[in-house]
Each structure stands twice: as C-alpha cells, then as structure tokens.
Amino acid sequence: KLYGCVVKGGEDITSVTFSSGTAVLIGNEANGLSSDTVAACEKITIKMSGKAESLNASVAAAIAMWELIK
C-alpha cells in the first residue's frame, strides 16, 4: 500500500494500521509531493498543535517510520 504524507487533508497517521509492504512518501519542505504522486496514494497527515504549518522532511520521515513499526 502506498501512502503520501500531506500537510492537510489526510487521515491522521496515528490512526492508520500499516501492513507489511507499505511505503510512505515524504515530499521536500518547499514543494511537498507532486499532485500526480498524491493522487496515486492514500493521504496521511501528521497532526500538529500550535502555529506550525509543516514539519522538516526528515522529521516527518522519522515520525512516519516510528508509526510504521509501532
């Protein structure tokens, strides 16, 4: 299964049950994933509180990897 990590509008990453063979795609800080890539994925979002708009790509990837192995 293919997931695309998006800033807004995706399913909360903490509520997803990841299975074997899953891939999570993370875009860069400036542009994110391309619209074609997002369209090909199930969208997930790392919910944040406060005023931050997005995470650094490496931080998002680390959180996603943590959620994948939980």
Side-chain angles (χ1 to χ4, degrees):
K1 201 164 198 178
L2 192 59
Y3 292 92
C5 202
V6 296
V7 174
K8 295 179 184 173
E11 183 177 356
D12 184 347
I13 193 170
T14 62
S15 68
V16 176
T17 302
F18 295 104
S19 60
S20 179
T22 295
V24 175
L25 304 179
I26 307 287
N28 67 35
E29 292 93 344
N31 302 312
L33 298 168
S34 73
S35 58
D36 289 341
T37 301
V38 171
C41 300
E42 292 206 29
K43 292 175 258 331
I44 56 174
T45 299
I46 300 168
K47 302 289 183 182
M48 299 182 298
S49 60
K51 296 181 181 181
E53 293 180 1
S54 64
L55 296 171
N56 172 282
S58 62
V59 171
I63 292 169
M65 287 186 282
W66 172 256
E67 292 296 331
L68 281 164
I69 63 168
K70 277 187 9 180

Short mmCIF file of all heavy atoms in Angstrom, two decimals:
data_model
loop_
_atom_site.label_atom_id
_atom_site.label_comp_id
_atom_site.label_asym_id
_atom_site.label_seq_id
_atom_site.Cartn_x
_atom_site.Cartn_y
_atom_site.Cartn_z
N LYS A 1 0.85 -1.17 0.00
CA LYS A 1 0.00 0.00 0.00
C LYS A 1 0.89 1.24 0.00
O LYS A 1 1.94 1.26 0.61
CB LYS A 1 -0.89 -0.02 1.23
CG LYS A 1 -2.09 0.82 1.10
CD LYS A 1 -3.10 0.44 2.18
CE LYS A 1 -4.44 0.96 1.78
NZ LYS A 1 -5.47 0.61 2.72
N LEU A 2 0.45 2.26 -0.67
CA LEU A 2 1.23 3.48 -0.84
C LEU A 2 0.53 4.64 -0.16
O LEU A 2 -0.65 4.91 -0.42
CB LEU A 2 1.40 3.76 -2.33
CG LEU A 2 2.39 4.81 -2.78
CD1 LEU A 2 3.80 4.48 -2.30
CD2 LEU A 2 2.37 4.93 -4.28
N TYR A 3 1.24 5.31 0.74
CA TYR A 3 0.72 6.47 1.46
C TYR A 3 1.55 7.69 1.11
O TYR A 3 2.77 7.60 1.02
CB TYR A 3 0.78 6.26 2.97
CG TYR A 3 -0.15 5.20 3.48
CD1 TYR A 3 0.26 3.88 3.62
CD2 TYR A 3 -1.46 5.52 3.85
CE1 TYR A 3 -0.60 2.91 4.10
CE2 TYR A 3 -2.32 4.56 4.33
CZ TYR A 3 -1.89 3.26 4.46
OH TYR A 3 -2.75 2.30 4.93
N GLY A 4 0.88 8.81 0.96
CA GLY A 4 1.56 10.08 0.74
C GLY A 4 1.31 10.97 1.94
O GLY A 4 0.16 11.20 2.33
N CYS A 5 2.37 11.46 2.54
CA CYS A 5 2.26 12.32 3.72
C CYS A 5 2.02 13.75 3.23
O CYS A 5 2.85 14.32 2.53
CB CYS A 5 3.53 12.22 4.55
SG CYS A 5 3.29 12.71 6.26
N VAL A 6 0.84 14.30 3.58
CA VAL A 6 0.47 15.64 3.16
C VAL A 6 0.24 16.52 4.39
O VAL A 6 -0.04 16.03 5.47
CB VAL A 6 -0.80 15.63 2.26
CG1 VAL A 6 -0.54 14.90 0.97
CG2 VAL A 6 -1.99 15.02 3.00
N VAL A 7 0.38 17.83 4.22
CA VAL A 7 0.27 18.76 5.34
C VAL A 7 -1.15 18.78 5.90
O VAL A 7 -1.35 18.77 7.11
CB VAL A 7 0.71 20.18 4.93
CG1 VAL A 7 0.47 21.18 6.04
CG2 VAL A 7 2.18 20.17 4.53
N LYS A 8 -2.15 18.80 5.03
CA LYS A 8 -3.55 18.87 5.47
C LYS A 8 -4.41 17.94 4.64
O LYS A 8 -4.10 17.68 3.48
CB LYS A 8 -4.10 20.29 5.32
CG LYS A 8 -3.44 21.31 6.19
CD LYS A 8 -4.03 22.69 5.95
CE LYS A 8 -3.29 23.72 6.78
NZ LYS A 8 -3.72 25.07 6.46
N GLY A 9 -5.50 17.47 5.25
CA GLY A 9 -6.50 16.73 4.48
C GLY A 9 -6.34 15.23 4.44
O GLY A 9 -7.16 14.54 3.84
N GLY A 10 -5.31 14.70 5.08
CA GLY A 10 -5.14 13.25 5.09
C GLY A 10 -5.65 12.64 6.37
O GLY A 10 -5.96 13.34 7.34
N GLU A 11 -5.73 11.32 6.40
CA GLU A 11 -6.09 10.60 7.61
C GLU A 11 -4.97 10.76 8.64
O GLU A 11 -3.79 10.74 8.28
CB GLU A 11 -6.31 9.12 7.29
CG GLU A 11 -6.76 8.30 8.46
CD GLU A 11 -7.03 6.85 8.12
OE1 GLU A 11 -6.94 6.46 6.94
OE2 GLU A 11 -7.31 6.09 9.06
N ASP A 12 -5.33 10.93 9.89
CA ASP A 12 -4.34 11.08 10.96
C ASP A 12 -3.42 9.85 10.97
O ASP A 12 -3.89 8.72 11.08
CB ASP A 12 -5.06 11.22 12.30
CG ASP A 12 -4.13 11.48 13.47
OD1 ASP A 12 -2.90 11.32 13.34
OD2 ASP A 12 -4.65 11.86 14.53
N ILE A 13 -2.13 10.08 10.86
CA ILE A 13 -1.15 8.99 10.77
C ILE A 13 -1.22 8.05 11.97
O ILE A 13 -0.95 6.87 11.86
CB ILE A 13 0.28 9.54 10.56
CG1 ILE A 13 1.24 8.42 10.15
CG2 ILE A 13 0.76 10.27 11.80
CD1 ILE A 13 2.60 8.91 9.71
N THR A 14 -1.62 8.57 13.13
CA THR A 14 -1.68 7.72 14.33
C THR A 14 -2.87 6.77 14.32
O THR A 14 -2.91 5.84 15.11
CB THR A 14 -1.72 8.57 15.61
OG1 THR A 14 -2.89 9.38 15.61
CG2 THR A 14 -0.48 9.44 15.73
N SER A 15 -3.82 6.98 13.42
CA SER A 15 -4.98 6.09 13.36
C SER A 15 -4.88 5.05 12.25
O SER A 15 -5.76 4.21 12.10
CB SER A 15 -6.26 6.91 13.18
OG SER A 15 -6.28 7.52 11.91
N VAL A 16 -3.80 5.10 11.47
CA VAL A 16 -3.62 4.15 10.37
C VAL A 16 -2.95 2.87 10.88
O VAL A 16 -2.01 2.93 11.66
CB VAL A 16 -2.75 4.79 9.25
CG1 VAL A 16 -2.48 3.79 8.13
CG2 VAL A 16 -3.40 6.04 8.72
N THR A 17 -3.47 1.74 10.43
CA THR A 17 -2.83 0.45 10.72
C THR A 17 -2.02 0.07 9.48
O THR A 17 -2.59 -0.27 8.45
CB THR A 17 -3.87 -0.63 11.03
OG1 THR A 17 -4.65 -0.20 12.14
CG2 THR A 17 -3.20 -1.95 11.35
N PHE A 18 -0.71 0.18 9.59
CA PHE A 18 0.16 -0.11 8.45
C PHE A 18 0.41 -1.61 8.36
O PHE A 18 0.58 -2.28 9.38
CB PHE A 18 1.49 0.64 8.59
CG PHE A 18 1.34 2.13 8.54
CD1 PHE A 18 1.40 2.90 9.69
CD2 PHE A 18 1.14 2.78 7.33
CE1 PHE A 18 1.27 4.28 9.65
CE2 PHE A 18 1.00 4.15 7.27
CZ PHE A 18 1.06 4.90 8.44
N SER A 19 0.46 -2.12 7.16
CA SER A 19 0.72 -3.54 6.94
C SER A 19 2.07 -3.73 6.26
O SER A 19 2.70 -2.78 5.82
CB SER A 19 -0.39 -4.14 6.08
OG SER A 19 -0.45 -3.49 4.83
N SER A 20 2.48 -4.97 6.18
CA SER A 20 3.74 -5.30 5.51
C SER A 20 3.67 -4.86 4.05
O SER A 20 2.62 -4.96 3.41
CB SER A 20 3.96 -6.82 5.59
OG SER A 20 5.15 -7.17 4.95
N GLY A 21 4.75 -4.36 3.53
CA GLY A 21 4.80 -3.93 2.15
C GLY A 21 4.32 -2.51 1.93
O GLY A 21 4.08 -2.10 0.80
N THR A 22 4.16 -1.76 3.01
CA THR A 22 3.70 -0.38 2.93
C THR A 22 4.86 0.57 2.65
O THR A 22 5.95 0.38 3.16
CB THR A 22 3.03 0.03 4.27
OG1 THR A 22 1.86 -0.77 4.45
CG2 THR A 22 2.66 1.48 4.29
N ALA A 23 4.59 1.59 1.86
CA ALA A 23 5.57 2.65 1.63
C ALA A 23 4.91 3.99 1.96
O ALA A 23 3.74 4.20 1.63
CB ALA A 23 6.04 2.66 0.18
N VAL A 24 5.66 4.86 2.62
CA VAL A 24 5.19 6.21 2.92
C VAL A 24 6.10 7.19 2.18
O VAL A 24 7.32 7.15 2.33
CB VAL A 24 5.22 6.50 4.44
CG1 VAL A 24 4.83 7.94 4.71
CG2 VAL A 24 4.28 5.55 5.18
N LEU A 25 5.50 8.04 1.37
CA LEU A 25 6.25 9.02 0.59
C LEU A 25 6.21 10.37 1.29
O LEU A 25 5.16 10.81 1.75
CB LEU A 25 5.66 9.14 -0.81
CG LEU A 25 5.55 7.84 -1.60
CD1 LEU A 25 4.92 8.10 -2.96
CD2 LEU A 25 6.91 7.19 -1.75
N ILE A 26 7.37 11.00 1.37
CA ILE A 26 7.52 12.31 2.00
C ILE A 26 8.10 13.26 0.95
O ILE A 26 9.11 12.96 0.32
CB ILE A 26 8.51 12.24 3.20
CG1 ILE A 26 8.14 11.14 4.19
CG2 ILE A 26 8.68 13.60 3.86
CD1 ILE A 26 6.95 11.41 5.05
N GLY A 27 7.48 14.42 0.78
CA GLY A 27 8.00 15.41 -0.15
C GLY A 27 8.99 16.34 0.54
O GLY A 27 9.20 16.26 1.75
N ASN A 28 9.57 17.23 -0.23
CA ASN A 28 10.51 18.19 0.37
C ASN A 28 9.75 19.32 1.05
O ASN A 28 8.54 19.49 0.87
CB ASN A 28 11.51 18.71 -0.66
CG ASN A 28 10.88 19.57 -1.74
OD1 ASN A 28 9.94 20.31 -1.51
ND2 ASN A 28 11.41 19.46 -2.95
N GLU A 29 10.45 20.12 1.84
CA GLU A 29 9.82 21.17 2.64
C GLU A 29 9.17 22.25 1.77
O GLU A 29 8.12 22.77 2.10
CB GLU A 29 10.83 21.83 3.59
CG GLU A 29 11.31 20.94 4.70
CD GLU A 29 12.59 20.20 4.36
OE1 GLU A 29 12.96 20.13 3.16
OE2 GLU A 29 13.23 19.68 5.27
N ALA A 30 9.78 22.59 0.66
CA ALA A 30 9.29 23.69 -0.16
C ALA A 30 8.06 23.33 -0.98
O ALA A 30 7.12 24.12 -1.10
CB ALA A 30 10.41 24.18 -1.08
N ASN A 31 8.05 22.14 -1.57
CA ASN A 31 7.01 21.80 -2.54
C ASN A 31 6.14 20.60 -2.17
O ASN A 31 5.12 20.37 -2.81
CB ASN A 31 7.64 21.54 -3.91
CG ASN A 31 8.42 22.72 -4.39
OD1 ASN A 31 7.94 23.84 -4.35
ND2 ASN A 31 9.65 22.51 -4.83
N GLY A 32 6.55 19.79 -1.22
CA GLY A 32 5.79 18.58 -0.91
C GLY A 32 5.85 17.59 -2.06
O GLY A 32 6.75 17.63 -2.90
N LEU A 33 4.88 16.71 -2.10
CA LEU A 33 4.79 15.72 -3.18
C LEU A 33 4.07 16.34 -4.38
O LEU A 33 3.23 17.23 -4.22
CB LEU A 33 4.00 14.50 -2.70
CG LEU A 33 4.60 13.72 -1.53
CD1 LEU A 33 3.58 12.73 -0.97
CD2 LEU A 33 5.86 12.99 -1.97
N SER A 34 4.37 15.85 -5.56
CA SER A 34 3.67 16.34 -6.75
C SER A 34 2.20 15.94 -6.69
O SER A 34 1.84 14.96 -6.03
CB SER A 34 4.32 15.78 -8.03
OG SER A 34 3.99 14.41 -8.17
N SER A 35 1.35 16.66 -7.39
CA SER A 35 -0.08 16.34 -7.38
C SER A 35 -0.35 14.96 -7.96
O SER A 35 -1.25 14.25 -7.50
CB SER A 35 -0.88 17.41 -8.12
OG SER A 35 -0.41 17.54 -9.45
N ASP A 36 0.43 14.53 -8.96
CA ASP A 36 0.27 13.19 -9.53
C ASP A 36 0.61 12.11 -8.50
O ASP A 36 -0.06 11.09 -8.41
CB ASP A 36 1.17 13.00 -10.76
CG ASP A 36 0.68 13.80 -11.96
OD1 ASP A 36 -0.52 14.20 -11.98
OD2 ASP A 36 1.49 14.03 -12.88
N THR A 37 1.66 12.36 -7.72
CA THR A 37 2.05 11.40 -6.68
C THR A 37 0.99 11.32 -5.60
O THR A 37 0.59 10.22 -5.20
CB THR A 37 3.42 11.78 -6.07
OG1 THR A 37 4.40 11.80 -7.11
CG2 THR A 37 3.84 10.81 -4.99
N VAL A 38 0.49 12.45 -5.15
CA VAL A 38 -0.55 12.47 -4.12
C VAL A 38 -1.79 11.74 -4.62
O VAL A 38 -2.42 10.98 -3.87
CB VAL A 38 -0.88 13.92 -3.70
CG1 VAL A 38 -2.10 13.97 -2.80
CG2 VAL A 38 0.31 14.56 -3.00
N ALA A 39 -2.15 11.93 -5.88
CA ALA A 39 -3.33 11.27 -6.44
C ALA A 39 -3.19 9.75 -6.46
O ALA A 39 -4.19 9.04 -6.39
CB ALA A 39 -3.59 11.80 -7.85
N ALA A 40 -1.96 9.26 -6.52
CA ALA A 40 -1.72 7.82 -6.58
C ALA A 40 -1.65 7.17 -5.19
O ALA A 40 -1.51 5.96 -5.08
CB ALA A 40 -0.43 7.54 -7.34
N CYS A 41 -1.72 7.98 -4.14
CA CYS A 41 -1.54 7.50 -2.77
C CYS A 41 -2.79 7.69 -1.93
O CYS A 41 -3.64 8.51 -2.24
CB CYS A 41 -0.43 8.30 -2.07
SG CYS A 41 1.18 8.24 -2.83
N GLU A 42 -2.84 6.94 -0.83
CA GLU A 42 -3.77 7.27 0.23
C GLU A 42 -3.09 8.36 1.04
O GLU A 42 -1.91 8.26 1.36
CB GLU A 42 -4.06 6.05 1.09
CG GLU A 42 -4.83 5.00 0.33
CD GLU A 42 -5.66 4.12 1.24
OE1 GLU A 42 -6.10 4.57 2.32
OE2 GLU A 42 -5.83 2.97 0.87
N LYS A 43 -3.82 9.42 1.37
CA LYS A 43 -3.22 10.57 2.04
C LYS A 43 -3.24 10.40 3.56
O LYS A 43 -4.25 10.02 4.13
CB LYS A 43 -3.95 11.84 1.64
CG LYS A 43 -3.74 12.20 0.17
CD LYS A 43 -4.58 13.37 -0.23
CE LYS A 43 -5.82 13.09 -1.00
NZ LYS A 43 -5.94 11.96 -1.85
N ILE A 44 -2.10 10.69 4.19
CA ILE A 44 -1.99 10.70 5.64
C ILE A 44 -1.39 12.03 6.07
O ILE A 44 -0.66 12.67 5.31
CB ILE A 44 -1.15 9.53 6.19
CG1 ILE A 44 0.24 9.49 5.57
CG2 ILE A 44 -1.88 8.21 6.01
CD1 ILE A 44 1.16 8.45 6.16
N THR A 45 -1.72 12.45 7.29
CA THR A 45 -1.25 13.72 7.83
C THR A 45 -0.75 13.52 9.25
O THR A 45 -1.34 12.77 10.02
CB THR A 45 -2.41 14.75 7.83
OG1 THR A 45 -2.84 14.96 6.49
CG2 THR A 45 -1.97 16.08 8.42
N ILE A 46 0.35 14.18 9.57
CA ILE A 46 0.86 14.21 10.94
C ILE A 46 0.22 15.43 11.59
O ILE A 46 0.54 16.57 11.24
CB ILE A 46 2.40 14.32 10.96
CG1 ILE A 46 3.01 13.12 10.25
CG2 ILE A 46 2.90 14.45 12.39
CD1 ILE A 46 4.50 13.24 9.96
N LYS A 47 -0.72 15.18 12.49
CA LYS A 47 -1.43 16.28 13.15
C LYS A 47 -0.48 17.04 14.07
O LYS A 47 0.34 16.43 14.75
CB LYS A 47 -2.62 15.75 13.95
CG LYS A 47 -3.62 14.97 13.12
CD LYS A 47 -4.39 15.89 12.22
CE LYS A 47 -5.43 15.08 11.45
NZ LYS A 47 -6.20 15.82 10.53
N MET A 48 -0.61 18.36 14.07
CA MET A 48 0.25 19.20 14.90
C MET A 48 -0.61 20.21 15.64
O MET A 48 -1.63 20.65 15.13
CB MET A 48 1.27 19.94 14.04
CG MET A 48 2.20 19.05 13.27
SD MET A 48 3.41 19.97 12.31
CE MET A 48 2.38 20.88 11.19
N SER A 49 -0.18 20.57 16.83
CA SER A 49 -0.85 21.64 17.55
C SER A 49 0.02 22.89 17.47
O SER A 49 1.17 22.83 17.05
CB SER A 49 -1.09 21.23 19.00
OG SER A 49 0.14 20.96 19.64
N GLY A 50 -0.52 23.99 17.86
CA GLY A 50 0.24 25.23 17.80
C GLY A 50 0.15 25.88 16.45
O GLY A 50 -0.75 25.60 15.66
N LYS A 51 1.11 26.75 16.14
CA LYS A 51 1.05 27.56 14.93
C LYS A 51 1.95 27.05 13.79
O LYS A 51 2.01 27.68 12.74
CB LYS A 51 1.42 29.00 15.26
CG LYS A 51 0.42 29.65 16.20
CD LYS A 51 0.80 31.08 16.50
CE LYS A 51 -0.21 31.69 17.47
NZ LYS A 51 0.10 33.07 17.75
N ALA A 52 2.63 25.95 14.00
CA ALA A 52 3.50 25.42 12.94
C ALA A 52 2.65 24.99 11.74
O ALA A 52 1.56 24.43 11.90
CB ALA A 52 4.31 24.24 13.44
N GLU A 53 3.13 25.26 10.54
CA GLU A 53 2.39 24.91 9.33
C GLU A 53 2.82 23.56 8.76
O GLU A 53 2.04 22.89 8.09
CB GLU A 53 2.57 25.99 8.28
CG GLU A 53 1.93 27.30 8.67
CD GLU A 53 2.12 28.37 7.61
OE1 GLU A 53 2.73 28.10 6.56
OE2 GLU A 53 1.67 29.49 7.85
N SER A 54 4.07 23.19 8.98
CA SER A 54 4.56 21.92 8.44
C SER A 54 5.82 21.52 9.19
O SER A 54 6.35 22.27 10.00
CB SER A 54 4.86 22.04 6.94
OG SER A 54 5.91 22.96 6.72
N LEU A 55 6.28 20.31 8.89
CA LEU A 55 7.50 19.78 9.51
C LEU A 55 8.62 19.71 8.48
O LEU A 55 8.38 19.59 7.28
CB LEU A 55 7.24 18.37 10.04
CG LEU A 55 6.23 18.23 11.16
CD1 LEU A 55 5.94 16.76 11.41
CD2 LEU A 55 6.73 18.90 12.43
N ASN A 56 9.84 19.72 8.96
CA ASN A 56 11.00 19.41 8.14
C ASN A 56 10.82 18.00 7.60
O ASN A 56 10.27 17.13 8.27
CB ASN A 56 12.23 19.52 9.06
CG ASN A 56 13.49 19.05 8.43
OD1 ASN A 56 13.72 17.86 8.35
ND2 ASN A 56 14.31 19.98 8.00
N ALA A 57 11.23 17.75 6.36
CA ALA A 57 11.04 16.44 5.72
C ALA A 57 11.66 15.30 6.53
O ALA A 57 11.07 14.23 6.65
CB ALA A 57 11.59 16.45 4.30
N SER A 58 12.84 15.53 7.10
CA SER A 58 13.49 14.45 7.86
C SER A 58 12.72 14.15 9.15
O SER A 58 12.63 13.00 9.58
CB SER A 58 14.95 14.77 8.15
OG SER A 58 15.06 15.93 8.95
N VAL A 59 12.15 15.17 9.76
CA VAL A 59 11.34 14.97 10.97
C VAL A 59 10.07 14.21 10.61
O VAL A 59 9.68 13.26 11.30
CB VAL A 59 11.01 16.31 11.65
CG1 VAL A 59 10.01 16.13 12.77
CG2 VAL A 59 12.28 16.98 12.16
N ALA A 60 9.41 14.60 9.53
CA ALA A 60 8.21 13.90 9.09
C ALA A 60 8.52 12.44 8.77
O ALA A 60 7.75 11.53 9.12
CB ALA A 60 7.61 14.59 7.87
N ALA A 61 9.65 12.19 8.11
CA ALA A 61 10.04 10.82 7.80
C ALA A 61 10.30 10.00 9.06
O ALA A 61 9.90 8.84 9.15
CB ALA A 61 11.28 10.81 6.90
N ALA A 62 10.93 10.60 10.05
CA ALA A 62 11.19 9.89 11.31
C ALA A 62 9.89 9.54 12.02
O ALA A 62 9.73 8.42 12.52
CB ALA A 62 12.08 10.75 12.23
N ILE A 63 8.94 10.47 12.06
CA ILE A 63 7.65 10.19 12.67
C ILE A 63 6.93 9.08 11.90
O ILE A 63 6.35 8.16 12.50
CB ILE A 63 6.80 11.47 12.74
CG1 ILE A 63 7.43 12.45 13.74
CG2 ILE A 63 5.36 11.15 13.13
CD1 ILE A 63 6.84 13.85 13.71
N ALA A 64 6.96 9.16 10.59
CA ALA A 64 6.31 8.12 9.77
C ALA A 64 6.94 6.76 10.02
O ALA A 64 6.22 5.76 10.15
CB ALA A 64 6.39 8.50 8.29
N MET A 65 8.25 6.69 10.09
CA MET A 65 8.91 5.40 10.35
C MET A 65 8.53 4.86 11.71
O MET A 65 8.31 3.65 11.87
CB MET A 65 10.43 5.53 10.20
CG MET A 65 10.86 5.65 8.76
SD MET A 65 12.65 5.64 8.55
CE MET A 65 13.06 7.30 9.03
N TRP A 66 8.44 5.73 12.71
CA TRP A 66 8.01 5.31 14.05
C TRP A 66 6.61 4.71 13.97
O TRP A 66 6.36 3.64 14.55
CB TRP A 66 8.06 6.49 15.01
CG TRP A 66 7.44 6.17 16.33
CD1 TRP A 66 6.22 6.57 16.78
CD2 TRP A 66 8.01 5.36 17.36
NE1 TRP A 66 6.00 6.06 18.04
CE2 TRP A 66 7.08 5.31 18.42
CE3 TRP A 66 9.21 4.67 17.48
CZ2 TRP A 66 7.32 4.61 19.59
CZ3 TRP A 66 9.46 3.97 18.66
CH2 TRP A 66 8.51 3.94 19.69
N GLU A 67 5.70 5.38 13.29
CA GLU A 67 4.34 4.87 13.18
C GLU A 67 4.29 3.54 12.41
O GLU A 67 3.49 2.68 12.73
CB GLU A 67 3.43 5.91 12.51
CG GLU A 67 3.18 7.14 13.35
CD GLU A 67 2.44 6.85 14.66
OE1 GLU A 67 1.64 5.89 14.71
OE2 GLU A 67 2.65 7.59 15.63
N LEU A 68 5.16 3.39 11.43
CA LEU A 68 5.18 2.14 10.65
C LEU A 68 5.58 0.93 11.51
O LEU A 68 5.10 -0.17 11.27
CB LEU A 68 6.17 2.26 9.48
CG LEU A 68 5.67 3.02 8.27
CD1 LEU A 68 6.83 3.40 7.37
CD2 LEU A 68 4.66 2.20 7.50
N ILE A 69 6.45 1.14 12.49
CA ILE A 69 6.95 0.00 13.28
C ILE A 69 6.20 -0.21 14.58
O ILE A 69 6.46 -1.19 15.28
CB ILE A 69 8.46 0.10 13.55
CG1 ILE A 69 8.77 1.32 14.40
CG2 ILE A 69 9.24 0.12 12.26
CD1 ILE A 69 10.18 1.34 14.96
N LYS A 70 5.28 0.68 14.94
CA LYS A 70 4.53 0.53 16.19
C LYS A 70 3.70 -0.73 16.20
O LYS A 70 3.21 -1.18 15.22
CB LYS A 70 3.63 1.73 16.42
CG LYS A 70 4.35 2.86 17.04
CD LYS A 70 3.53 4.06 17.46
CE LYS A 70 2.07 3.99 17.43
NZ LYS A 70 1.38 5.19 17.84
#
